[in-house]
Amino acid sequence: MQQDKTAMIGGGFLNENLTPPRFNYNTYNYYLNVTIFPCLEIAYTCTLFKVTSQWGVQSQMGKFTNQDRYFSLRLRVLKEEQFFKYMPAAVLGTSDPFTESRGGEIMPSGDGGNGYFSRFYVAMTKHIPVNKEELGLHVSYLYNRRNDYHLNGIAGGITYSPSMLSDLKLIAEYDSHDILIGMNYLLFHHFLVQAMMQKGKYFSCGLTYLIHLK
């Protein structure tokens, strides 16, 4: 999780292989993420819809005319080394937990309606100093009820921050379906550049502006 009282405003390019099947084209998103308390992080994300042969007015074919909107929440229930030295942090989280389509539904199911990015998860994280560098170990369990975006099961990842470039974070992870490799780099203490490759060939990227409110 981010430092307490951190606000992030950003957006990115999403390869179609990174998004649910409803987005069968490359798209973009933008979001606001705020860490309100040391243990609570809330985000609001919008992902752009494009008119296709199945959706929208044919005269607007290929244009971005709408957007999917959803909230995300992460609650840290335990912090690293809270009770002993090697204790990992534990987080409960969800994204897109509720949809108003089909009369309103928590944890949307099936493959109809909205709630495209719906998931619930529990995660554990531990950062280990290695000389002057840092290694992060992450493991989680993901669950949702959608048939068209069935990312259920164990996920995990490793992050590495070299001592020569402490603002650089190299990432390798498994999201219960695919392997992704990527990097984050913080420029001038405020601009976070993000890039990733899914399956070694599908590229996505983003840029975020960080503001520390205290």
Side-chain angles (χ1 to χ4, degrees):
M1 294 182 63
Q2 297 297 322
Q3 177 184 332
D4 185 23
K5 302 298 188 296
T6 297
M8 302 192 301
I9 303 171
F13 164 78
L14 304 177
N15 189 283
E16 65 176 286
N17 289 276
L18 191 66
T19 57
R22 166 64 177 85
F23 297 85
N24 56 351
Y25 44 81
N26 298 333
T27 187
Y28 303 87
N29 71 354
Y30 60 96
Y31 62 87
L32 171 66
N33 181 301
V34 180
T35 303
I36 301 175
F37 304 110
C39 62
L40 181 62
E41 182 177 311
I42 297 175
Y44 184 68
T45 304
C46 297
T47 306
L48 302 186
F49 275 134
K50 181 184 289 188
V51 174
T52 66
S53 57
Q54 293 82 24
W55 305 87
V57 180
Q58 297 304 303
S59 62
Q60 297 177 329
M61 183 71 66
K63 298 179 180 179
F64 290 105
T65 61
N66 205 345
Q67 57 191 355
D68 177 70
R69 299 172 291 272
Y70 65 89
F71 282 98
S72 301
L73 181 146
R74 293 202 293 176
L75 176 66
R76 187 180 65 201
V77 294
L78 295 170
K79 63 181 181 179
E80 289 190 47
E81 302 184 4
Q82 184 168 348
F83 297 116
F84 54 89
K85 182 177 180 180
Y86 298 105
M87 180 177 178
V91 172
L92 302 176
T94 181
S95 66
D96 209 357
F98 175 79
T99 177
E100 294 182 350
S101 62
R102 297 187 296 191
E105 186 177 12
I106 297 176
M107 195 183 296
S109 60
D111 54 8
N114 297 329
Y116 303 107
F117 296 90
S118 176
R119 73 183 66 178
F120 292 77
Y121 60 88
V122 56
M124 292 189 296
T125 297
K126 178 61 182 174
H127 293 90
I128 303 170
V130 181
N131 295 323
K132 296 182 179 180
E133 302 172 342
E134 184 180 77
L135 186 68
L137 304 176
H138 316 273
V139 63
S140 61
Y141 181 80
L142 311 174
Y143 178 75
N144 72 19
R145 299 196 299 165
R146 293 194 66 91
N147 296 330
D148 57 350
Y149 196 49
H150 199 60
L151 289 180
N152 285 9
I154 299 294
I158 299 173
T159 60
Y160 171 70
S161 297
S163 58
M164 294 181 62
L165 290 171
S166 59
D167 290 326
L168 172 67
K169 182 175 291 185
L170 303 176
I171 304 166
E173 64 180 36
Y174 172 69
D175 67 359
S176 82
H177 188 269
D178 294 322
I179 293 176
L180 303 93
I181 56 173
M183 55 80 68
N184 295 341
Y185 191 78
L186 185 63
L187 292 170
F188 312 117
H189 306 290
H190 290 288
F191 293 95
L192 183 65
V193 180
Q194 302 162 296
M196 71 166 60
M197 294 285 287
Q198 183 183 17
K199 298 181 179 180
K201 56 183 177 180
Y202 302 119
F203 178 74
S204 297
C205 62
L207 179 64
T208 300
Y209 182 69
L210 282 76
I211 307 170
H212 299 292
L213 302 178
K214 69 171 185 177

